[in-house]
Amino acid sequence: GIAKSCRRVKLCRRSYNPNRRLKVKMRIGITMRVVNNDTYPDRRDALSTDWPEYLSSVLHNAFIIPLLNQPDRIKKIIEELKITGIILSNGNNWGEVLERDETERHIVEYCIEKNIPIFGVCRGFQVLNVFFGGSLETNLADIGKGNHVAVEHRVEIVNRAFTELTKKAETEVNSFHDQGVIVEGLSKKLRAFAMTCDGVVEGFFHPDRPVMAIQWHPERSNPSASYDRHIITRFFSKGSFWS
């Protein structure tokens, strides 16, 4: 009768749990570029549609959260949204957009303090090197390091933990950057795992923190897609897998 019906309702309510059904285990915050709009007099935070499509295919149990460029509020946002990992994404050269520079600086400070994993891509790679005391070359072609804009090139995997992960000593990557980091400009606190033959650093990690970065774009069409999938899934599931 009524008692049985109430029990059935309670069971239905208990079984309907969207979070359980989606099995969300990770909340990944991703930074956004600042763009100026030619039609309206405003600036906008934007994220390429490549990113959510790519991340949903690689991190199946992750919830992706775009992060606004709000330097004064970003630490509180990360805390209240219970972010478990960060991607510092591409777009805007370092020094071009103050609110993004400051937002990402605060993000890195907070994540280092709380031991939240940080994965840098292209600009994010450069941001992390600057944060840890390294330097940037503003135009790699001007210093004889070749063209790195809209090309593909080979990188050598120079760290054992990263070669053992995929059994690869080199891979072909895409390239969309004119700024970059040469070996002499790499922070003393970071370690390279991917290099070009002429001394441009293309991948690094922090030996004691869950921090790593790549200069190429995994979210775009890329000959290193299989390699990228390995390192991204391992990083966000294990953190400092090189330790």
Side-chain angles (χ1 to χ4, degrees), residues 29 56 82-83 99 110 157 182 218 223:
S56 65
K82 296 180 172 58
I83 301 292
E99 64 264 40
Y110 182 82
I157 309 303
I182 60 175

PDB file of all heavy atoms in Angstrom, residues 29 56 82-83 99 110 157 182 218 223:
ATOM      1  N   GLY A  29      39.953  23.084 -14.594  1.00  0.00           N
ATOM      2  CA  GLY A  29      39.801  24.476 -14.998  1.00  0.00           C
ATOM      3  C   GLY A  29      40.748  24.804 -16.129  1.00  0.00           C
ATOM      4  O   GLY A  29      41.905  24.368 -16.126  1.00  0.00           O
ATOM      5  N   SER A  56      37.075  16.167 -23.786  1.00  0.00           N
ATOM      6  CA  SER A  56      36.026  15.175 -23.540  1.00  0.00           C
ATOM      7  C   SER A  56      36.398  13.825 -24.141  1.00  0.00           C
ATOM      8  O   SER A  56      35.935  12.782 -23.664  1.00  0.00           O
ATOM      9  CB  SER A  56      34.690  15.654 -24.124  1.00  0.00           C
ATOM     10  OG  SER A  56      34.750  15.738 -25.536  1.00  0.00           O
ATOM     11  N   LYS A  82      36.036  23.803  -6.427  1.00  0.00           N
ATOM     12  CA  LYS A  82      36.739  22.550  -6.107  1.00  0.00           C
ATOM     13  C   LYS A  82      37.496  22.005  -7.320  1.00  0.00           C
ATOM     14  O   LYS A  82      37.427  20.810  -7.650  1.00  0.00           O
ATOM     15  CB  LYS A  82      35.766  21.503  -5.556  1.00  0.00           C
ATOM     16  CG  LYS A  82      35.123  21.911  -4.231  1.00  0.00           C
ATOM     17  CD  LYS A  82      34.169  20.842  -3.727  1.00  0.00           C
ATOM     18  CE  LYS A  82      33.674  21.147  -2.322  1.00  0.00           C
ATOM     19  NZ  LYS A  82      32.983  22.442  -2.194  1.00  0.00           N
ATOM     20  N   ILE A  83      38.234  22.902  -7.972  1.00  0.00           N
ATOM     21  CA  ILE A  83      39.029  22.524  -9.137  1.00  0.00           C
ATOM     22  C   ILE A  83      40.123  21.548  -8.717  1.00  0.00           C
ATOM     23  O   ILE A  83      40.844  21.778  -7.741  1.00  0.00           O
ATOM     24  CB  ILE A  83      39.672  23.769  -9.783  1.00  0.00           C
ATOM     25  CG1 ILE A  83      38.606  24.777 -10.223  1.00  0.00           C
ATOM     26  CG2 ILE A  83      40.580  23.371 -10.947  1.00  0.00           C
ATOM     27  CD1 ILE A  83      37.737  24.328 -11.354  1.00  0.00           C
ATOM     28  N   GLU A  99      45.466  41.565 -17.626  1.00  0.00           N
ATOM     29  CA  GLU A  99      44.529  40.831 -16.780  1.00  0.00           C
ATOM     30  C   GLU A  99      44.708  39.322 -16.905  1.00  0.00           C
ATOM     31  O   GLU A  99      44.524  38.580 -15.935  1.00  0.00           O
ATOM     32  CB  GLU A  99      43.071  41.220 -17.058  1.00  0.00           C
ATOM     33  CG  GLU A  99      42.536  40.883 -18.446  1.00  0.00           C
ATOM     34  CD  GLU A  99      42.609  42.049 -19.415  1.00  0.00           C
ATOM     35  OE1 GLU A  99      43.621  42.793 -19.392  1.00  0.00           O
ATOM     36  OE2 GLU A  99      41.651  42.202 -20.202  1.00  0.00           O
ATOM     37  N   TYR A 110      48.441  29.799  -6.411  1.00  0.00           N
ATOM     38  CA  TYR A 110      47.474  29.050  -5.609  1.00  0.00           C
ATOM     39  C   TYR A 110      47.664  27.540  -5.791  1.00  0.00           C
ATOM     40  O   TYR A 110      47.641  26.776  -4.812  1.00  0.00           O
ATOM     41  CB  TYR A 110      46.061  29.459  -6.003  1.00  0.00           C
ATOM     42  CG  TYR A 110      44.980  28.773  -5.196  1.00  0.00           C
ATOM     43  CD1 TYR A 110      44.623  29.254  -3.948  1.00  0.00           C
ATOM     44  CD2 TYR A 110      44.319  27.643  -5.689  1.00  0.00           C
ATOM     45  CE1 TYR A 110      43.632  28.627  -3.189  1.00  0.00           C
ATOM     46  CE2 TYR A 110      43.330  27.017  -4.950  1.00  0.00           C
ATOM     47  CZ  TYR A 110      42.992  27.513  -3.706  1.00  0.00           C
ATOM     48  OH  TYR A 110      42.016  26.882  -2.973  1.00  0.00           O
ATOM     49  N   ILE A 157      62.631  13.147 -27.240  1.00  0.00           N
ATOM     50  CA  ILE A 157      62.218  12.945 -25.853  1.00  0.00           C
ATOM     51  C   ILE A 157      63.482  12.600 -25.059  1.00  0.00           C
ATOM     52  O   ILE A 157      64.108  11.568 -25.288  1.00  0.00           O
ATOM     53  CB  ILE A 157      61.167  11.829 -25.725  1.00  0.00           C
ATOM     54  CG1 ILE A 157      60.020  12.067 -26.722  1.00  0.00           C
ATOM     55  CG2 ILE A 157      60.649  11.756 -24.300  1.00  0.00           C
ATOM     56  CD1 ILE A 157      59.322  13.399 -26.578  1.00  0.00           C
ATOM     57  N   ILE A 182      64.589  28.701 -25.095  1.00  0.00           N
ATOM     58  CA  ILE A 182      65.777  27.936 -25.467  1.00  0.00           C
ATOM     59  C   ILE A 182      66.375  27.347 -24.197  1.00  0.00           C
ATOM     60  O   ILE A 182      66.038  27.762 -23.079  1.00  0.00           O
ATOM     61  CB  ILE A 182      66.805  28.786 -26.237  1.00  0.00           C
ATOM     62  CG1 ILE A 182      67.284  29.965 -25.390  1.00  0.00           C
ATOM     63  CG2 ILE A 182      66.192  29.269 -27.546  1.00  0.00           C
ATOM     64  CD1 ILE A 182      68.406  30.764 -26.067  1.00  0.00           C
ATOM     65  N   PRO A 218      48.011  19.964 -28.340  1.00  0.00           N
ATOM     66  CA  PRO A 218      47.354  18.655 -28.440  1.00  0.00           C
ATOM     67  C   PRO A 218      45.916  18.745 -28.933  1.00  0.00           C
ATOM     68  O   PRO A 218      45.376  17.780 -29.484  1.00  0.00           O
ATOM     69  CB  PRO A 218      47.403  18.145 -26.991  1.00  0.00           C
ATOM     70  CG  PRO A 218      47.429  19.380 -26.156  1.00  0.00           C
ATOM     71  CD  PRO A 218      48.247  20.368 -26.942  1.00  0.00           C
ATOM     72  N   PRO A 223      50.370  15.348 -35.356  1.00  0.00           N
ATOM     73  CA  PRO A 223      50.943  14.016 -35.568  1.00  0.00           C
ATOM     74  C   PRO A 223      51.321  13.312 -34.268  1.00  0.00           C
ATOM     75  O   PRO A 223      51.553  12.099 -34.269  1.00  0.00           O
ATOM     76  CB  PRO A 223      52.190  14.303 -36.422  1.00  0.00           C
ATOM     77  CG  PRO A 223      52.529  15.731 -36.159  1.00  0.00           C
ATOM     78  CD  PRO A 223      51.224  16.419 -35.931  1.00  0.00           C
TER      79      PRO A 223
END
